[in-house]
Amino acid sequence: MDTRAFDPRLGSGAVKFLSQPIKHLIDGQLVPAASGRYFEVLDPATERVIAMVAEADQEDVNRAVAAARRAFDDGKWAKVSPSQKGRLLWKLADLMEQHLDEFAELESIDNGKPFAVARAADVPLAIDMFRYMAGWATKLTGSSIPLSFPGEFLSYTVREPVGVVAQIIPWNFPLLMAAWKLAPALAAGCTLVLKAAEQTPLSALRFAELVPEAGFPPGVVNIISGFGETAGAALAAHPQVDKVAFTGSTEVGKLIVKAAAGNLKKVTLELGGKSPAIVMPDADLDRAIPGVANAIFFNHGQCCCAGSRLYAHRSIYDRVVEGVSEIAGKIKVGAGLDPATEMGPLVSGEQFDRVTSYIRAGIDEGAKTVAGGGRVGREGYFVSPTVLADTTPLMKVVQEEIFGPVVCAQPFSDDDLDRIAQEANDTIYGLAASVWSRDGGVAHKLARKIRSGTVWINCHNVFDAALPFGGYKQSGWGREMGEEVFHSYTEVKAITAAL
C-alpha cells in the first residue's frame, strides 16, 4: 500500500502518475527494468520520496537499442512519409498541451522550479519545439551539383538519417531538453533511445506514455531512466548506436567522447558555460540591472548559459552591484508549487553541497558577499541568491562553473573592446554572453569579438526553436535547434550518374 502523502496542490493526473511504479518505454511497451529494480525520486523542496522509477542497467539498454535498431533497419520508420512524420510530431505536441498543467506540476516537484515558470516557459517551449520540427520533416532536401569533371554526369546529394541515436539529457530543464533532443532526431528519420537524468526522470517518463498514444511505430522512440555510471555509460559505448547526443557537464562530456570512440559514433555535446554579462558605461541601467540579475538567477542559476560572470564598467559598477543585490534580496525562495515562489530549491543534495562549497571557496579567496551566501530554511536544498563582489580572474568561483544562483562581479576600466573581449574570453568555456549598451555599433562590435555560440544584446536567456544553440571551446560540439541541428542527425550522400 502506497503511504506517500502528496502535496495537495498537485492535480489528480500528477498524483495518479506518481502513485504507480514508473516504467520505461521500450519497443512500444511500458515495461519495468529487467532487474526489477526501482530507485527513489525525491522532491528537492522537502527531501521526501515522491516516486519510484525503474532503474535501467546494461540489459535494459541492450533491449532499448535493439528495438531502435530493428525499427530503423527494417524500414518501419523510413516507410512513414515525411508529412506523416510531421503529423505524428504535431500530435505529440497536442497531447502534451492537453496535459500542460500536469507536466508543469511534475517539473516543479521533480526539479524544484516554480510551477508558474514551468507552465509559462518549460512546457510551452517543449511543445513549440515539436511543432517547429514537425515542419522540418518535409524540408530536409539535397541539391544538384554541376561538375567540372570531363564528360556528362548528373550529380546530386541526398540527406539521410544518421541511424540509431542515444540521447542523454540533464536535470535542469528535463522536459525541454527531451524535446530539444527528440523532435529533430525524429523529424530527420532517426530512431532513438533517450535516457532521462536520474535526478529528474518524471516528465520524460510521463511523456513516454504519450508516444504510443500519438501513433509512433514500436521501437522508434525508447525512453529509459537510470544512472549515468551504468545506463548512460552503456548507451554511449553501445556498438549498435550510430550517434550520441549529450547535454551536461564538460567533465562528463569528455567521458562520453571516450566511450563513443569504440565504433566512432558521431557525437554532439552541449556542455558547461561560464557566461559573461558585460554592462558598458552607457547601458540603460533600468534595463540592464534586472536583465543581468535574471541572467544568473533564472532557473536558480542551474542554467548552462547563466550570466555568472558580471562585468560592469567601473563608473557604474557600484550601482550595478547594488541593484543586482537588491533584487537578489527580494527574491522569494520556496517550494515550486507555492504560487508565491520565485526561486525554488537546487535539484539535489549533491548540487546543494557543490554550490555552497563554491560560495565558501569564494569567500575564503577574498570575495565579498553582498547578498545571500547561505542556506535558506532547514528542510530542502534551498540556497539564497548570492552576489559575490570584488572577485578576481584567478578565483575558483570565476574560473569554474558553479551551476547555482551565484554571480561573481568584477569592474573593468578599459574602453578598448579588444581588451574587454579578451577578459570575457578568458575561460575554457564559450557557450553564451550578453552585452548591455545603448550604442548598437559598440554592442555588435563587441559581440563579434566574444568567442561564444550565442551573444545576446540588451537581453539574456532568449531562446527559440528556430535559433541554433551550442558552444565554442569546451562548451561543446554541434548545435541544437534551428536548421543547424539537422547537420547532427543526418548524413549527406553524393550520387553521380554518367549520362
Side-chain angles (χ1 to χ4, degrees), residues 229-241:
E229 298 86 349
T230 50
L235 259 182
H238 203 287
Q240 293 300 309
V241 168

Side-chain angles (χ1 to χ4, degrees), residues 135-406:
W136 272 106
T138 57
K139 299 172 183 66
L140 298 176
T141 61
S143 58
S144 59
I145 301 173
L147 300 187
S148 299
F149 191 85
E152 292 189 71
F153 302 91
L154 171 64
S155 291
Y156 61 95
T157 61
V158 292
R159 194 170 284 277
E160 299 179 340
V162 72
V164 174
V165 180
Q167 301 180 318
I168 303 172
I169 60 173
W171 45 256
N172 55 338
F173 294 93
L175 185 64
L176 184 57
M177 293 299 98
W180 281 23
K181 293 284 190 287
L182 291 164
L186 292 170
C190 300
T191 60
L192 54 91
V193 180
L194 180 137
K195 189 197 85 68
E198 60 266 30
Q199 298 89 346
T200 56
L202 299 181
S203 58
L205 293 172
R206 178 66 181 97
F207 172 89
E209 297 181 350
L210 303 181
V211 172
E213 185 178 349
F216 280 81
V220 172
V221 179
N222 304 274
I223 299 178
I224 62 174
S225 54
F227 294 87
E229 298 86 349
T230 50
L235 259 182
H238 203 287
Q240 293 300 309
V241 168
D242 300 302
K243 172 191 164 54
V244 60
F246 171 78
T247 297
S249 71
T250 295
E251 293 75 17
V252 176
K254 293 175 181 179
L255 296 176
I256 295 287
V257 172
K258 291 179 181 178
N263 64 338
L264 291 180
K265 295 177 183 64
K266 294 185 178 299
V267 177
T268 51
L269 305 168
E270 199 264 279
L271 305 176
K274 195 70 180 176
S275 301
I278 304 166
V279 186
M280 302 298 287
D282 68 331
D284 178 355
L285 296 188
D286 290 337
R287 186 178 185 182
I289 288 171
V292 297
N294 182 67
I296 181 61
F297 299 134
F298 173 66
N299 206 50
H300 334 158
Q302 296 173 141
C303 189
C304 53
C305 55
S308 54
R309 291 187 295 146
L310 173 57
Y311 297 96
H313 192 273
R314 192 169 295 279
S315 64
I316 56 169
Y317 175 78
D318 289 341
R319 292 169 62 194
V320 171
V321 171
E322 180 182 354
V324 173
S325 300
E326 183 178 352
I327 291 171
K330 293 179 179 178
I331 292 173
K332 174 67 168 63
V333 178
L337 292 176
D338 184 343
T341 292
E342 296 172 305
M343 180 185 291
L346 298 178
V347 74
S348 66
E350 179 183 3
Q351 189 64 14
F352 175 88
D353 291 342
R354 173 188 173 93
V355 172
T356 53
S357 69
Y358 270 110
I359 294 172
R360 290 193 299 272
I363 295 169
D364 290 345
E365 288 185 308
K368 177 184 176 183
T369 306
V370 185
R375 181 173 194 142
V376 177
R378 296 182 179 179
E379 181 182 69
Y381 310 124
F382 296 98
V383 172
S384 56
T386 299
V387 179
L388 298 178
D390 301 335
T391 58
T392 59
L394 296 181
M395 286 182 177
K396 183 178 180 179
V397 289
V398 175
Q399 289 291 317
E400 298 180 15
E401 184 178 39
I402 299 173
F403 222 66
V406 183

Side-chain angles (χ1 to χ4, degrees), residues 394-456:
L394 296 181
M395 286 182 177
K396 183 178 180 179
V397 289
V398 175
Q399 289 291 317
E400 298 180 15
E401 184 178 39
I402 299 173
F403 222 66
V406 183
V407 64
C408 300
Q410 301 177 65
F412 66 91
S413 302
D414 212 315
D415 293 324
D416 184 287
L417 297 185
D418 286 328
R419 282 195 282 268
I420 295 170
Q422 183 178 12
E423 192 164 357
N425 291 333
D426 185 20
T427 172
I428 63 171
Y429 301 108
L431 190 58
S434 60
V435 177
W436 302 80
S437 174
R438 286 189 174 98
D439 188 325
V442 166
H444 284 280
K445 287 177 183 176
L446 184 53
R448 293 288 297 272
K449 295 175 185 292
I450 295 172
R451 290 190 52 75
S452 66
T454 294
V455 180
W456 292 290

